[in-house]
Amino acid sequence: MRPWLILFFLCRLILIDNPCQSQFADVSSQWQAFISNETAEFGNGLSLYDFNSDHLDDITVAENLSGIACYANTGSGFELEYYFPESYSIKQILWVDFDNDEDVDLFYTTNGGGVHLLENAGNFSFIEIDLDSLIPSDLHAYGAAWGDYDRDGLLDVYICSYNIFFESTYTNYLLHNLGQGEFEEVASPMGVNSADDNAFQPCWVDFNGDGWLDLHIINDHLIGNEYFENLQGQSFIDRSSESGLGVEMDAMCNSISDFDNDGDFDIYITNHWDGNHLMRNDSDIFANKAGIANVGIADFCWGGLWMDYDLDGFDDLQVCSSMGVESVGFNYVFHNEGDGTFSTSDAGSLRSSFSCAKADFNNDLRWDYAVYNALPTDISFFKIQIHQIIALKFRLEVLRVTMKESDHLSNIS
């Protein structure tokens, strides 16, 4: 008896997603959120979050020098449900359950009017928490971030102070949540007050994987960005320089993702024409890989967000660009190739765009996104349109047979 190996191919037709042809369709005619006035010179806040807990992502929009419009998702569009008047320019909107009562409260920052925290008392009835003794009422606050830095079960908030143009010398602020609607300001004793910086946006992320939230802050006008390592909730240590994150740039946005799936978080930072930065984390040391990754973008960029739009397990990237309200730029979408590089999937429309946010508008389990524009002021909504292609899938099979010495290969069928 002699064994023989016979090789043959099996093939079948399959439909696969082609990421290079994946495009986002502008569906703004259906998913509308009307803006009643013009946007601020460098944009206003935008939030996509299910604020009424009906399992549909809603949209909250800051209207310049007017107020905050909350549009509920009906399943086929948006309808205005609540409106919060505000006379200052609103820079950021955050929904947060700061008191752990299982309904969302509203927090927002303003340009010259401080910050505001509205407690949801039930049935969308709100009571403002007095923060005037902790935060200056004329603070120019652009960005803020909530996170439980001391792991006591209560969310705390870090607030950035933007001083250039306003002749102010306010520091950044860290409000430690004491519960029962009470806070204490602890930025200085915790070592994160960052005096006199043009701070744009903070974020809380456990960069070194020790289970404690670290703090990353981007600054504008060539002031070095900052990275503070959390020392088990007792204090922070400035590791900006040694980590490689103390980059001097005109930083506009810091967006977090493990884009290379290596188990730690990386940072994408938007910038002006000198190029954006993709700070790859390698054991808590960061290096700019934007050029190699093809996401540098020599343009004036603003909002950036990560989303795995084609569900291949790698986060893709969307970026807004514009030079103020007087010019236009592309809304870029980059596809993550999974090898540390990106390809341009969609250059988007030419608009004057600033802030962006992602959600799943129609619960189809794919990311959609929205962009806040000027010229004219409106919200653009984009949904993924996957172009499937027909492909032949070949599979090599190995068949082992046993033959008698007298058999001939020609007899095998």
Side-chain angles (χ1 to χ4, degrees):
M1 308 285 285
R2 177 179 298 176
W4 294 83
L5 294 180
I6 300 176
L7 306 180
F8 64 96
F9 290 97
L10 295 180
C11 66
R12 61 190 176 95
L13 287 175
I14 58 171
L15 290 175
I16 61 174
D17 290 344
N18 180 11
C20 294
Q21 296 184 11
S22 299
Q23 303 290 332
F24 283 89
D26 190 334
V27 293
S28 306
S29 60
Q30 175 185 356
W31 300 87
Q32 294 181 342
F34 295 100
I35 310 299
S36 62
N37 56 3
E38 290 300 311
T39 185
E41 183 178 4
F42 298 112
N44 289 109
L46 173 69
S47 170
L48 293 176
Y49 181 77
D50 179 16
F51 57 68
N52 56 10
S53 301
D54 64 353
H55 307 293
L56 294 170
D57 288 331
D58 310 303
I59 182 167
T60 309
V61 181
E63 295 191 338
N64 189 38
L65 307 178
S66 177
I68 298 175
C70 304
Y71 289 88
N73 188 339
T74 66
S76 58
F78 294 108
E79 292 182 356
L80 182 63
E81 189 162 336
Y82 307 101
Y83 198 88
F84 298 90
E86 175 56 65
S87 58
Y88 286 91
S89 176
I90 302 159
K91 307 310 293 184
Q92 186 178 33
I93 303 168
L94 295 169
W95 291 100
V96 57
D97 183 12
F98 81 93
D99 51 4
N100 290 344
D101 63 353
E102 299 185 355
D103 57 21
V104 289
D105 313 295
L106 180 62
F107 178 86
Y108 63 93
T109 66
T110 71
N111 188 9
V115 302
H116 299 270
L117 177 58
L118 306 181
E119 179 185 359
N120 189 342
N123 298 318
F124 240 66
S125 175
F126 288 83
I127 301 171
E128 181 157 8
I129 302 296
D130 185 7
L131 300 177
D132 287 346
S133 63
L134 304 173
I135 304 293
S137 60
D138 61 345
L139 181 71
H140 297 272
Y142 276 43
W146 289 80
D148 183 9
Y149 75 86
D150 58 349
R151 293 178 15 182
D152 65 353
L154 297 169
L155 293 174
D156 316 294
V157 60
Y158 190 84
I159 302 163
C160 285
S161 175
Y162 191 79
N163 292 316
I164 196 170
F165 307 133
F166 306 115
E167 299 182 355
S168 59
T169 57
Y170 291 130
T171 64
N172 295 345
Y173 297 86
L174 174 58
L175 299 188
H176 178 230
N177 192 341
L178 302 174
Q180 306 299 316
E182 298 292 330
F183 293 84
E184 61 177 345
E185 207 291 304
V186 296
S188 182
M190 295 297 288
V192 291
N193 58 321
S194 299
D196 302 329
D197 288 348
N198 299 314
F200 237 60
Q201 179 64 46
C203 65
W204 295 103
V205 181
D206 180 11
F207 286 111
N208 57 8
D210 65 354
W212 297 86
L213 292 177
D214 307 305
L215 180 63
H216 182 253
I217 305 166
I218 56 171
N219 296 308
D220 193 10
H221 286 272
L222 302 180
I223 295 176
N225 298 328
E226 295 164 292
Y227 169 40
F228 295 96
E229 181 181 340
N230 189 339
L231 302 180
Q232 298 187 355
Q234 301 303 306
S235 64
F236 291 82
I237 183 172
D238 188 345
R239 294 196 58 246
S240 306
S241 179
E242 64 183 279
S243 68
L245 288 176
V247 183
E248 296 181 359
M249 57 192 298
D250 288 317
M252 298 290 108
C253 173
N254 50 353
S255 188
I256 310 299
S257 167
D258 180 11
F259 81 93
D260 51 0
N261 288 351
D262 66 349
D264 51 27
F265 288 107
D266 314 296
I267 315 173
Y268 188 74
I269 307 173
T270 58
N271 192 20
H272 59 29
W273 297 282
D274 288 342
N276 299 343
H277 284 49
L278 176 59
M279 306 302 293
R280 183 182 182 274
N281 187 350
D282 185 4
S283 299
D284 213 25
I285 301 297
F286 294 79
N288 182 18
K289 302 297 183 180
I292 297 174
N294 304 316
V295 291
I297 311 179
D299 206 342
F300 207 111
C301 296
W302 298 87
L305 61 86
W306 295 95
M307 54 181 170
D308 181 11
Y309 70 75
D310 59 346
L311 307 181
D312 66 351
F314 288 89
D315 279 347
D316 310 299
L317 182 63
Q318 188 270 328
V319 184
C320 296
S321 69
S322 172
M323 179 51 190
V325 298
E326 300 299 327
S327 65
V328 296
F330 283 112
N331 286 309
Y332 298 90
V333 178
F334 296 97
H335 178 255
N336 190 335
E337 298 298 322
D339 59 0
T341 67
F342 293 76
S343 60
T344 304
S345 172
D346 192 350
S349 56
L350 275 169
R351 294 295 307 271
S352 180
S353 303
F354 297 97
S355 51
C356 50
K358 66 182 179 182
D360 179 9
F361 300 141
N362 62 345
N363 287 345
D364 65 354
L365 304 181
R366 289 190 183 272
W367 285 116
D368 315 304
Y369 73 94
V371 175
Y372 203 148
N373 304 305
L375 296 174
T377 298
D378 60 17
I379 307 292
S380 295
F381 296 95
F382 296 92
K383 290 192 62 61
I384 186 65
Q385 304 291 310
I386 294 292
H387 297 269
Q388 291 182 319
I389 62 173
I390 297 177
L392 283 174
K393 183 176 182 180
F394 291 93
R395 180 161 54 96
L396 179 65
E397 296 288 343
V398 179
L399 177 64
R400 181 181 295 272
V401 297
T402 302
M403 302 175 58
K404 296 179 182 179
E405 296 285 352
S406 58
D407 287 340
H408 298 285
L409 193 58
S410 60
N411 293 334
I412 299 175
S413 59

